[in-house]
């Protein structure tokens, strides 16, 4: 046994070992866990002997030999990613004193000769990997003298060389899978780097290696020869035994358990990644650590005692709670390593004795943390009892989706960082360990636990996927959860505080401090003020026809009076079924002046949909054009054709006193309806005034010219029509529901358009076909769906003087809720174009399914608040109550 390791423990199968990857780990006493606990089970070292009545025997023959299941998994990974250092194990030793380099090399060679695993190569025979043990392999201690390097740069250069040595890949088929390199820093100072491929080595093996090299070096120094006891077996014997043991009915029983435990194909964690997963990953390593104070560790241990948990199980429950809160999934799978040194014959062997198990916890029903502890406990004990299922067999049995870019069944690991074996003890030498950086990680995310008075927890992560800031926040959230579960384990996991108070304040308050003054007035009153201020300015342009603010106001007043005579007043709805013409704008404005709310109807809608909307909205008056009347369904509503209405110059133009307030309804727009039945969204006047005033994403004035491209039945027309008319600008109307690229280009040039809103698809088409037509614009607002990064980047390059704004918002939030001004320098490889920050007088929260704020970078549902919100849905009180929450 390695020096300082505990003696073998045998409890008739009641104790099982959990080994670090690589290394040894936790002993779990099932009798103690099934009885009232008196103390928390710690993370302790020591192999566990199982199946003592079935020893492993030597296998005759010179090979080739079968490989173990664990080795098979690493071999297949090496086939997918050759020349990778991911599974290198590197250990550094800083040696002070009169080192005998020749004796060190001789000692290392002796250990390699003693352990067949270190002279093993892995080749394919008829498509099956096998072990081939070579007697010709001899370890050579490579040497580099750095003593001539200037002292002020020597350590930096040595560190770089040590890392380079650790990262050098192995060829499993031809190389000796252990390397040793010695760097001389001075007359009595050296650095030794030992690098071994994981397929023949684990951290328990490091203890064996240290002990045997120490004994051999000491014996050689004394002029003698080390007397090692004969090894009862070699690793190849274990591999053959494992394949025989894990077969037949035993394998059937194990497979049956794991199929039930993991529920078929386990869900992937789907943690929100900061960067897309690359097809050919390099898996660079990132690392962040934190300390759990001793008093909190003690509290966690007491919690473990009360619930008959090991410390490991409690941390597993907290970690899975964190992943549940981060991902929103109810079933969370986490891998953890188990040691396979369950036979006495393996205790003194160098080799790969590691198995990986998957623990799946069910968080459905929003359990309390105490209930989650019970679920984790049951799952963990079941996993320990069925630990003999090799991970590679488990993957084969469950047949999950495979990818070379990620681990099957899980991408997140929890691993205790156990006490390391004692360092080499060489005569007259002082030796201190250090860890060269192999630069790569095996999993997306690993939580390391180091059990001591002040416990260190560390997140090791893939820097291709996660940013350092994300992991630092996650580390803080884990610490917050550790504190919260101790304070109240009876609290549902959804309600456990995860955010720090300052973080919660930032998300809920600071980022939503958007209050700005805006007019507390109706839309038509705001227009009337503008008409009074700039009566002769041009308000509308349609073809060769122009209409001033004064004339538009006068005609709208005349029509408003007629609507009043037809019974239109506050909250009454007027249908608008027209093409994009000047009469359309007159109809919209007149409806508001009469106190009513307009309901725009798409002229391309089928008659059954039109009939439904007219009936559902309770429309009694409908404004249209003569040539469109035949398309309308027979509904019995009063129909006014605006192209037959005369506006004699002598008629009065006095503003109509509607009596409407900012809280009265301005319009109803019917969404397409995800269930097939349209829903009418009710927008009050305050929603429109909040959209168009007090905003910093756009400042409009009398010089602005807007070119509406959206049909009036879509909520984006709200911005396109009222933005210019309430700021003294001009609105250019193109006839027809769908406008072409050439029509847009001609109108921009002819009317000196400054501002354009385009759907993402129309924007992409213009950029592809004729981007030059947009070059004279001041700004383009794009939205309606996710923006194409490639088209945005092309536009930034081709239109350097045009401001690009991503405008996002559902109909229920009055056109826009958030905006993002796309900066020059946006990269084509960006994952997406953000939707930005909330508009003035708008609140935006990202919440989980329990309405708790999620951390930065964690997916959730967007909730919006503020005066821009709709009142609800027409005749849909149940859906309104569900969607528009207090």
């Amino acid at each position: 046994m390695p020096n300082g390791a505990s003696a073998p423990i045998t409890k008739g199968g009641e104790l099982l070992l959990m080994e670090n990857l690589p290394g040894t780990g936790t002993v779990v006493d099932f009798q103690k866990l099934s009885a009232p606990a008196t103390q928390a089970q710690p993370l302790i070292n020591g192999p566990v002997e199982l199946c003592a009545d079935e020893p492993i025997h030597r296998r005759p023959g010179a090979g080739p030999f079968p490989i173990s299941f664990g080795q098979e998994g690493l071999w297949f990974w090496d086939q997918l990613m050759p020349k990778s250092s991911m599974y290198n194990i590197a250990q550094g030793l800083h040696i002070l004193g009169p080192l005998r380099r020749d004796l060190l090399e001789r000692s290392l060679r002796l250990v390699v000769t003693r352990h067949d695993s270190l002279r093993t190569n892995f080749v394919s025979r008829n498509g099956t990997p096998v072990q081939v043990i070579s007697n010709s392999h001899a370890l050579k201690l490579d040497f580099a003298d750095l003593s001539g390097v200037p002292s002020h740069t020597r350590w930096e250069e040595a560190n770089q060389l040590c890392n380079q040595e650790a990262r050098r890949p192995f060829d499993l088929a031809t190389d000796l899978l252990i390397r040793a390199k010695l760097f001389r820093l001075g007359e009595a100072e050296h650095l030794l780097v030992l690098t071994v491929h994981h397929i023949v080595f684990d951290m328990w093996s490091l203890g064996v290696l240290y002990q045997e090299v120490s004994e051999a070096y000491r014996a050689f120094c004394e002029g003698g020869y080390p007397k090692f006891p004969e090894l009862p077996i070699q690793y190849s014997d274990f591999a053959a035994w494992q394949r025989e043991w894990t077969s037949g009915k035993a394998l059937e029983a194990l497979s049956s358990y794991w199929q039930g435990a993991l529920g078929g194909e386990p869900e992937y964690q789907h943690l929100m990644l900061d960067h897309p997963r690359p097809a050919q990953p390099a898996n660079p390593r990132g690392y962040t650590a934190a300390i759990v104070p001793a008093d909190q560790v003690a509290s966690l241990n007491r919690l473990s005692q009360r619930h008959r948990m090991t410390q490991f199980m409690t941390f597993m429950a907290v970690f899975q709670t964190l992943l549940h809160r981060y991902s929103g999934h109810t079933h969370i799978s986490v891998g953890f390593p188990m040691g396979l040194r369950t036979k006495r014959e393996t205790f003194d062997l160098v080799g790969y004795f590691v198995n990986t198990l998957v623990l799946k916890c069910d968080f459905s029903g929003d359990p309390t943390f105490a209930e989650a502890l019970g679920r984790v406990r049951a799952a963990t004990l079941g996993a320990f009892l069925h630990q003999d299922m090799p991970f590679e067999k488990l993957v084969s049995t469950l047949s999950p989706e495979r990818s070379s870019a990620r681990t099957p069944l899980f991408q997140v690991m929890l691993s205790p960082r156990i006490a390391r074996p004692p360092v080499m003890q060489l005569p007259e030498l002082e030796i201190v360990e250090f860890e060269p950086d192999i630069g790569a990680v095996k999993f997306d995310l690993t939580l390391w636990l180091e059990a001591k008075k002040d416990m260190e927890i560390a997140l090791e992560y893939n820097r291709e996927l996660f940013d350092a800031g994300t992991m630092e926040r996650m580390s803080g959230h884990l610490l917050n959860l550790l504190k919260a579960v101790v304070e109240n384990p009876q609290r549902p996991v959804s309600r456990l505080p995860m955010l720090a108070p300052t973080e919660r304040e930032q998300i809920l308050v600071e980022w939503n401090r958007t209050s700005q003054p805006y007019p507390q007035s109706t839309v038509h009153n705001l227009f009337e003020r503008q008409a009074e201020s700039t009566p002769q300015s041009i308000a509308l342009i349609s073809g060769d026809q122009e209409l001033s603010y004064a004339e538009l106001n006068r005609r709208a007043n005349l029509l408003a009076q007629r609507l009043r005579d037809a019974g239109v007043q506050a909250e009454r709805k007027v249908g608008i079924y027209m093409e994009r013409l000047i009469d359309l704008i007159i109809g919209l404005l007149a409806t508001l002046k009469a106190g009513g709310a307009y309901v725009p109807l798409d002229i391309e809608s089928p008659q059954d949909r039109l009939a439904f909307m007219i009936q559902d909205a309770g429309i009694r008056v409908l404004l249209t054009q003569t040539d469109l009347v035949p398309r309308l369904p027979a509904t019995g509503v009063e129909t006014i054709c605006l192209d037959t209405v005369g506006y004699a110059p002598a008629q009065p133009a006095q503003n109509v006193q509607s009596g409407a307030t900012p809280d009265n309804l301005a319009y109803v727009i019917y969404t397409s309806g995800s269930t097939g039945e349209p829903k009418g969204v009710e927008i009050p006047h305050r929603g429109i005034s909040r959209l168009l005033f007090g905003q910093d994403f756009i400042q409009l004035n009398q010089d602005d010219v807007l070119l509406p491209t959206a049909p009036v039945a879509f909520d984006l027309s709200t911005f396109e029509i009222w933005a210019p008319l309430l700021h003294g600008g001009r609105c250019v109307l193109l006839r027809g529901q769908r406008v072409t690229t050439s029509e847009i280009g001609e109108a921009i040039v002819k009317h000196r358009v400054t501002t354009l809103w385009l759907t993402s698809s129309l924007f992409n088409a213009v950029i592809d076909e004729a981007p030059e037509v947009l070059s004279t614009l001041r700004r383009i607002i794009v939205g309606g769906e996710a923006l194409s990064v490639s088209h945005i980047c092309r536009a930034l390059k081709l239109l350097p003087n045009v401001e690009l704004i991503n405008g996002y918002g559902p109909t229920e939030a009055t056109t826009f809720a958030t905006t993002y001004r796309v900066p020059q320098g946006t990269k084509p490889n960006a994952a997406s174009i953000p939707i930005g920050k909330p508009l003035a007088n708008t609140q935006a929260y990202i919440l989980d399914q329990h309405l708790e704020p999620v951390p930065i970078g964690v997916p959730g549902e967007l909730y919006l608040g503020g005066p821009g919100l709709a009142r609800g849905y027409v005749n849909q009180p149940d859906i309104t109550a569900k969607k528009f929450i207090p």
Side-chain angles (χ1 to χ4, degrees), residues 278-339:
Q280 296 295 324
N283 302 320
R285 178 178 182 263
Y287 190 86
T288 184
I291 297 295
V292 183
D295 58 341
Q296 194 168 335
V297 174
S299 297
L300 285 165
N301 286 341
R302 288 191 292 271
L303 177 66
S304 302
Q305 294 165 20
R306 291 197 301 272
H307 292 272
R308 294 181 296 163
M309 305 279 287
T310 66
Q311 189 184 72
F312 167 81
M313 292 178 186
T314 302
F315 267 93
M316 176 66 83
V318 175
F319 190 40
Q320 289 186 309
T321 296
L322 177 76
L323 297 174
H324 162 62
R325 294 280 296 274
Y326 262 58
S327 68
H329 290 174
T330 55
H331 293 82
I332 299 298
S333 298
V334 173
F336 64 100
M338 294 287 291

Side-chain angles (χ1 to χ4, degrees), residues 152-213:
H152 65 281
T153 60
R154 188 179 307 156
W155 268 104
E156 181 180 353
E157 183 169 338
N159 182 64
Q160 291 177 355
L161 291 172
C162 288
N163 291 341
Q164 288 176 14
E165 176 64 17
R167 296 175 185 181
R168 261 202 308 136
F170 289 97
D171 186 324
L172 299 187
T174 59
D175 290 347
L176 182 68
L177 299 183
I178 178 172
R179 292 194 300 263
K181 186 158 187 176
L182 189 67
F183 297 93
R184 183 174 184 265
L185 303 184
E187 184 176 349
E189 184 177 14
H190 294 81
L191 297 179
L192 174 65
V193 178
L194 297 171
T195 311
V196 195
H197 197 283
H198 201 8
I199 201 168
V200 297
F201 206 76
D202 57 22
M203 288 306 290
W204 184 263
S205 301
L206 183 64
V208 174
L209 177 71
Y210 278 172
Q211 177 181 319
E212 293 187 354
V213 169

Side-chain angles (χ1 to χ4, degrees), residues 368-447:
T368 66
F369 183 74
E371 291 170 337
L373 279 175
R375 297 179 188 184
V376 170
R377 179 179 181 276
T380 307
L381 296 182
F384 283 173
L385 287 171
H386 298 85
Q387 65 166 310
D388 291 325
M389 180 68 166
F391 181 72
E392 291 68 30
K393 280 290 185 184
L394 180 61
V395 173
S396 176
T397 298
L398 298 178
S399 299
E401 177 188 347
R402 299 300 296 266
S403 169
S404 61
R406 64 187 179 194
T407 313
L409 303 184
F410 72 96
Q411 297 83 49
V412 178
M413 172 74 80
L414 174 63
S415 190
R417 198 189 293 277
I418 49 80
R420 300 180 63 82
V423 73
M424 284 184 191
Q425 303 293 318
L426 306 184
E428 301 182 26
L429 299 176
E430 179 184 342
I431 302 177
V432 178
E433 284 185 305
F434 67 94
E435 289 190 30
D437 184 5
I438 66 169
V441 294
K442 302 171 183 65
F443 308 103
D444 291 358
L445 177 65
T446 299
L447 172 62

Side-chain angles (χ1 to χ4, degrees), residues 808-828:
Y808 167 82
T811 302
E812 291 84 345
T814 315
T815 308
F816 297 139
T818 68
T819 57
Y820 177 73
R821 187 171 285 105
V822 185
Q824 287 287 346
T826 299
K827 302 296 184 183

Side-chain angles (χ1 to χ4, degrees), residues 526-712:
L526 292 171
F527 174 81
E528 289 164 356
R529 293 176 196 171
Q530 186 61 54
E532 183 178 355
S533 175
T534 58
Q536 301 310 314
S537 295
I538 299 301
L540 298 177
I541 301 174
S542 179
D544 295 329
Q545 187 180 6
E546 294 182 349
L547 209 63
S548 68
Y549 273 85
E551 183 62 15
L552 174 57
N553 191 49
R554 189 182 73 84
R555 293 188 186 187
N557 284 335
L558 295 174
L559 180 58
Q561 188 57 59
R562 180 167 177 178
L563 292 175
R564 294 283 285 186
D565 294 341
V568 176
Q569 55 185 332
E571 300 298 315
R572 294 287 178 88
K573 303 178 186 74
V574 176
I576 306 286
Y577 186 69
M578 301 180 66
E579 290 186 277
R580 193 188 291 110
L581 299 166
I582 283 180
D583 281 343
L584 168 67
I585 309 302
I586 294 173
L588 299 177
L589 184 55
T591 299
L592 298 179
K593 282 175 170 285
Y598 59 84
V599 183
L601 305 173
D602 192 341
I603 62 175
E604 295 183 351
S605 291
Q607 286 199 344
D608 57 346
R609 179 182 171 94
L610 291 172
F612 169 82
M613 292 187 289
I614 291 171
Q615 181 181 3
D616 186 61
I619 293 172
R620 294 293 176 262
V621 178
L622 191 147
L623 305 180
T624 186
Q625 303 162 219
T626 304
D627 59 341
L628 295 181
V629 172
R631 300 191 195 180
L632 288 167
T635 58
V637 303
E638 180 180 350
T639 301
I640 302 175
C641 295
L642 295 194
D643 53 326
T644 65
V645 173
Y647 302 104
Q651 289 178 288
Q654 185 176 357
N655 291 330
V656 178
Q657 300 303 311
S658 67
T661 72
D663 289 327
N664 280 124
L665 202 59
Y667 66 80
V668 173
I669 282 187
Y670 277 82
T671 62
S672 57
S674 58
T675 60
E677 186 173 283
K679 296 195 301 291
V681 180
E682 301 177 316
I683 300 294
H685 286 264
R686 58 174 164 78
I688 303 173
S689 56
R690 154 264 176 200
L691 169 68
L692 301 178
F693 293 91
Q695 301 297 344
D696 61 1
F697 81 94
I698 191 169
Q699 290 85 36
L700 298 174
N701 56 46
Q702 298 178 29
D703 296 328
D704 278 297
V705 181
L706 272 76
L707 177 68
T709 60
V712 71

Side-chain angles (χ1 to χ4, degrees), residues 9 19 105 117 129 430 449 487 578 617 715 740 746 795 811 817 823 838 883:
I9 302 172
E19 181 171 71
E105 181 177 52
S117 57
E430 179 184 342
L449 307 176
E487 292 176 348
M578 301 180 66
D715 71 313
T740 65
E746 291 173 6
T811 302
K883 294 292 186 180

